[in-house]
Amino acid sequence: MSGARGGAGEAHLAASRHRAILRMLDTHGQVSAAGLSDELGVTHETVRKDLVALQEQGLLKRVHGGAVRIGSVADEQLLVARTQQAEEKARIGVAALQFVPESGAILLDSGSTVAALAACLPVNPRLIAVTNSLPIALALLPKVGSVTTLGGRLRAETHATVDDWTLQHLEAIRTDVVFLGTNALSPTHGLATPDQAESAVKAALVRAARLRVLLADHTKVGVESVYRYADVQDIDVLVSDAGLPAAVAAELERDCGVEVVRAR
C-alpha cells in the first residue's frame, strides 16, 4: 500500500508541476529548463522528464534550453490582434533607438514591434525613412525629413506591401540600418514567417542595409515558421526583452555571432 500511496503522491506532484509549467508558458511564451529547475525546486532531470511528458501530450514544444508554446508553424495573427507583449515591445522600441543614426537612411520592416520603434522615435529632420508598412509610414511622417513607401500589393493581415513592385524598389535601395520584425527565430531554421510573399520582401530588406537589427520579443525566439528568409547569422543585433533567458541570449551571441540587447 505504501508503494501505491508513494506512486500516487509522485503523480500528484508531477501534475502540479505540469500545471505550473503551462501557466508560465501562457504568461511568457517560452520557458528555460534552468529557470524551471530554480522556480520549481527540482533537478534538471525532473524538468526534462516533465517537458518530455508535456510534449508527448501536445501541450508544448521542446527547444534547446527549454520549451515554447505549441502552435502551427503557419499561424499568423491579424494586425489588429497583435497586442500581446505590448509592454515588452514598447521597451524593445526604446532600446532600439541606440541603433538609429543621427543622420542618414533607415529602413523599417512591417510589424508591431518595429511600429513600437517608430512610435518612440524622436523628431529628426536629418533622417530619411523607407518602409513597406503603411501604419509605420504615417507614424514617421511628422518625425523625419522624408518618408518613402515601397509600392506593391497591400496585405490585409499586416498592412505591408509585398510582391514584385516591392522587390524591384528594394533592389535600388541601400540604407544605413534596417529594423526587422519576425514571426519566428530559431537557431536551426533561422528567421521565418508564415507568408511566402512577406518572406521574399524580408529577405530583400536584409540585403538592403549595412546594419541589420532584429526586433523580436522573447516569445518569437525558439519558434519556427514556414518560410525562412534569413539565417540568424545574417543579422547583426537582436533587440529583445528581459523575458529572453540570459542563457539563450548567451548562446545566440556565442554560436551565431549576434549582439543581443535585452530591454528592461
Side-chain angles (χ1 to χ4, degrees):
M1 292 293 292
S2 62
R5 287 195 298 270
E10 285 295 326
H12 176 76
L13 290 173
S16 178
R17 291 195 305 272
H18 293 177
R19 289 193 294 271
I21 291 170
L22 293 174
R23 283 196 299 270
M24 284 185 271
L25 274 174
D26 286 340
T27 301
H28 302 293
Q30 178 177 359
V31 291
S32 69
L36 289 174
S37 178
D38 292 339
E39 183 74 21
L40 301 174
V42 296
T43 65
H44 288 276
E45 179 60 20
T46 297
V47 169
R48 186 192 70 80
K49 291 178 179 178
D50 287 340
L51 296 182
V52 168
L54 289 167
Q55 179 172 262
E56 290 175 349
Q57 296 173 51
L59 298 174
L60 56 74
K61 179 182 177 183
R62 295 174 67 210
V63 296
H64 183 63
V68 296
R69 291 178 301 188
I70 198 70
S72 169
V73 294
D75 285 347
E76 182 176 29
Q77 289 181 316
L78 294 176
L79 187 69
V80 295
R82 296 177 184 183
T83 57
Q84 293 182 327
Q85 285 76 47
E87 292 183 4
E88 289 91 339
K89 291 175 182 179
R91 288 193 287 268
I92 290 171
V94 172
L97 289 175
Q98 64 185 290
F99 300 103
V100 177
E102 293 184 3
S103 63
I106 58 175
L107 182 58
L108 295 96
D109 193 4
S110 62
S112 55
T113 313
V114 180
L117 167 63
C120 67
L121 188 73
V123 174
N124 185 348
R126 293 178 294 173
L127 279 179
I128 296 170
V130 182
T131 182
N132 69 323
S133 166
L134 289 189
I136 289 175
L138 292 173
L140 292 172
L141 195 57
K143 296 184 175 185
V144 300
S146 70
V147 178
T148 298
T149 57
L150 300 171
R153 176 175 64 88
L154 189 64
R155 290 194 72 220
E157 295 84 352
T158 58
H159 294 179
T161 56
V162 295
D163 291 342
D164 289 346
W165 283 7
T166 310
L167 296 174
Q168 289 173 17
H169 291 165
L170 281 169
E171 288 178 0
I173 290 173
R174 186 69 170 169
T175 64
D176 295 289
V177 189
V178 61
F179 294 97
L180 298 155
T182 193
N183 294 82
L185 184 160
S186 165
T188 54
H189 188 61
L191 311 182
T193 184
D195 184 80
Q196 188 174 21
E198 291 230 18
S199 175
V201 171
K202 288 178 182 292
L205 290 169
V206 171
R207 296 191 296 267
R210 295 175 177 174
L211 180 69
R212 297 159 294 245
V213 181
L214 178 68
L215 312 185
D217 70 78
H218 68 277
T219 65
K220 307 295 177 60
V221 180
V223 178
E224 295 181 349
S225 192
V226 183
Y227 298 103
R228 178 173 63 187
Y229 58 88
D231 293 327
V232 179
Q233 292 87 343
D234 291 328
I235 63 171
D236 300 298
V237 182
L238 166 64
V239 184
S240 190
D241 59 271
L244 181 69
V248 175
E251 288 176 5
L252 288 170
E253 290 189 325
R254 182 187 67 242
D255 298 339
C256 301
V258 176
E259 178 185 352
V260 179
V261 176
R262 296 165 71 227
R264 299 182 181 276

